[in-house]
Amino acid sequence: MIRQCARCLYTEAHPLNLTLDERWVCSGCRVHEEKDALDWRARWEMLRELADAYRGRGRTLYDCVVPVSGARDSHFIVHTVKKRLGLNPLLVSYNRHYNTDLGIRNLANLRMALDVDLLQKTAQPAAVKAVMRATIERLGNFHWHVLAGQTAFPVQVAVRMGIPLVVWGAHQGVDQVGMFSHTDAVEMSRRYRKEHDLMGVEIEDLEAEFPELRAYNLAPWRYPSAADIARVGVRGIYLSNYVRWDSKAQHERMIDLYGYETRPLPRTFDAYNDVDCHHYAGLHDRVKLAKHGYSKVVDHACREIRLRRLSREQAQALVDAHRDRASPDGALLAAWLRMDEAAILDRAKAHCNPKAFDANGTAQAVRPPGNAEIEAARLGPPLAPCEFRATPTRAPGRIDDRYVLIGKGVFDPEDVD
């Protein structure tokens, strides 16, 4: 049997190697305790000194590269880098192809509201589809190309343009499962990217296994060589090591400052994080459930428990309400990829996590904590309500039910000089 954390809802079967201590509290919850113990003013000064050391060091007028999308914490990261640290960032974005119209609007709003330059990589659609089919077969995952592209392209740009600093947002291994301490100040590495983001598979591995991929340009997914990275001195830092990370509060600040748009998502209560993608909180989340036995709503619920906006019982009720919900996006991907939705899910099940499922594909039994362990691990009653704001749309009447590969977004011409 696999044990479940007494504080949050994660189990020992988590794919990022989460562990439980003798009090049944997971490593993610333990490292999260640092958020209420560290001197964040001192850590901000560390970040400011680091930023000052890179100001003007690039071969161009840009001080750093910032990876962005039409969702997640992009507005907050750019606001922090430009408005608070005073750096001149070059924004870079990997085009995931299955963008929502709202995501395109948010990306347009980001570059307009914060007055920044943006480079976007749009790979050949046929190549994207070929890579997707290969990773569905090899990994049971159609989203691999996004993870590979959005972690390779920023580093490619940094190397090519001679910009030695890349600024990322939160480190998943720290913020979610406590793989490292905030004080370790862990940085972006090719090894972590391959082992965790890319599930142990690089584009070169896929190319060797699927020779048909060689007919396409695979450059968008190739990580720069160690020699090229060393030549420029590229390093990638995570803001979450220097700023007390709270995604919900950060999004709400960006709604107030810049008009970030939100929308309800089909399989979770979080309306902020993945609004730019038709599939991440839809079919991709169903793939996650099929492979690992839990879905995105558990990630969001655990985060809100730790930030004391949900009790453990409230979080479990939200998971129960969302975990098995249908998603409307499967037919959209099936039509685009010409691959049946059921076949995609079948391949996911064929690659299920052995810590969460046995050899027959049956879910491993979960051993829940006892009441004594739960009460001992409890942080106290929620300090704030866990409510997500619905924002007005910039495109009233528009139905967001198709891919927007390239779009300008929506803005008021009167706001432009």
Side-chain angles (χ1 to χ4, degrees), residues 69-347:
S69 71
R72 294 290 178 109
D73 294 283
S74 296
H75 279 68
F76 176 77
I77 297 167
V78 179
H79 167 82
T80 301
V81 168
K82 182 170 182 177
K83 298 294 188 181
R84 297 192 63 200
L85 292 173
L87 297 177
N88 183 29
L90 172 62
L91 275 52
V92 299
S93 178
Y94 172 81
N95 189 338
R96 69 180 66 221
H97 279 63
Y98 23 89
N99 310 297
T100 63
D101 193 58
L102 185 152
I104 296 294
R105 296 198 300 272
N106 271 338
L107 190 59
N109 181 66
L110 172 62
R111 65 182 187 261
M112 299 289 290
L114 282 149
D115 193 24
V116 284
D117 291 347
L118 170 73
L119 289 179
Q120 187 173 57
K121 180 68 176 183
T122 302
Q124 177 189 6
V128 171
K129 293 179 184 181
V131 170
M132 289 172 69
R133 293 188 187 99
T135 56
I136 289 169
E137 180 64 27
R138 173 70 174 79
L139 300 165
N141 187 298
F142 67 82
H143 199 69
W144 181 95
H145 81 94
V146 178
L147 302 173
Q150 67 188 13
T151 50
F153 182 53
V155 184
Q156 292 172 355
V157 171
V159 167
R160 186 167 66 246
M161 299 186 68
I163 306 170
L165 182 64
V166 182
V167 181
W168 304 85
H171 189 290
Q172 184 185 25
V174 175
D175 205 57
Q176 191 176 102
V177 300
M179 190 179 296
F180 308 99
S181 166
H182 295 88
T183 59
D184 293 331
V186 64
E187 299 189 357
M188 169 66 167
S189 71
R190 180 172 190 156
R191 179 178 176 180
Y192 181 88
R193 171 184 181 266
K194 178 178 181 178
E195 292 181 355
H196 300 291
D197 294 339
L198 304 189
M199 295 156 272
V201 176
E202 292 269 20
I203 190 64
E204 290 81 4
D205 301 316
L206 292 174
E207 188 177 17
E209 185 173 349
F210 301 93
E212 62 269 24
L213 291 180
R214 298 169 193 166
Y216 302 98
N217 175 20
L218 303 179
W221 304 286
R222 295 193 195 281
Y223 202 76
S225 69
D228 284 340
I229 290 172
R231 173 174 50 80
V232 178
V234 175
R235 66 185 293 196
I237 66 167
Y238 292 91
L239 286 184
S240 61
N241 287 322
Y242 305 96
V243 175
R244 186 183 185 278
W245 208 255
D246 183 340
S247 183
K248 181 177 181 293
Q250 289 161 192
H251 274 103
E252 287 166 359
R253 179 67 171 150
M254 297 302 103
I255 291 169
D256 293 338
L257 285 177
Y258 303 115
Y260 178 83
E261 268 191 81
T262 72
R263 73 179 177 101
L265 296 173
R267 291 174 49 81
T268 184
F269 57 90
D270 185 323
Y272 299 163
N273 268 287
D274 301 304
V275 298
D276 60 333
C277 180
H278 278 289
H279 303 307
Y280 198 78
L283 181 58
H284 176 265
D285 191 51
R286 291 163 60 201
V287 165
K288 178 174 180 172
L289 180 62
K291 288 183 66 175
H292 298 294
Y294 78 104
S295 55
K296 201 67 187 170
V297 66
V298 174
D299 294 328
H300 296 156
C302 291
R303 181 194 69 206
E304 297 303 311
I305 290 172
R306 294 168 180 175
L307 289 164
R308 294 190 66 179
R309 288 189 287 259
L310 287 176
S311 69
R312 194 175 193 277
E313 293 74 19
Q314 290 169 332
Q316 185 63 62
L318 285 168
V319 170
D320 292 343
H322 289 87
R323 178 183 184 272
D324 297 316
R325 284 188 173 179
S327 61
D329 60 296
L332 187 63
L333 181 66
W336 187 69
L337 193 57
R338 296 178 185 266
M339 186 172 186
D340 184 73
E341 179 181 355
I344 294 172
L345 289 169
D346 284 344
R347 291 309 300 160

